[in-house]
Amino acid sequence: AESTGVFQAIALAKKLHEIDSQITLKIIGFCSIPSTLKTIKQEVEKYHFISLAGGDNLVPHQDILKAIVNADFGIIHYPHNYSTMNSTPTKLYEYLGLKLPILIQD
């Protein structure tokens, strides 16, 4: 969902890629909102350094953990939203448990 910060992660990856062409972004997971998935797919099409695994298919948790292990860092940026206010994202525990460095919003 948009509330998970996926579009902020895409924007950050685009800016970082301008500075260092080795920067890539892998978005992994299921998106249950067709309009959001359509927008994500449009972004992935435009930028060769952004990829999507899953999208309209469920992704096994083991595949998500493998992606985390293979990542250089994770991004946690949740835009202000009442549905996520005062909650802790599961990916924080996954990143910490796998000792992945994290870029996190203030």
Side-chain angles (χ1 to χ4, degrees), residues 3-51:
S3 63
T4 65
V6 66
F7 296 112
Q8 286 77 11
I10 290 170
L12 177 61
K14 291 191 290 189
K15 289 178 183 176
L16 291 174
H17 188 80
E18 289 175 9
I19 298 166
D20 181 347
S21 63
Q22 293 183 8
I23 295 289
T24 62
L25 174 65
K26 181 171 190 170
I27 303 165
I28 185 166
F30 176 67
C31 180
S32 64
I33 304 168
S35 60
T36 301
L37 180 58
K38 180 180 177 181
T39 305
I40 292 169
K41 285 182 173 182
Q42 289 170 341
E43 288 296 317
V44 171
E45 284 178 1
K46 289 185 230 175
Y47 300 99
H48 69 278
F49 57 91
I50 302 173
S51 63

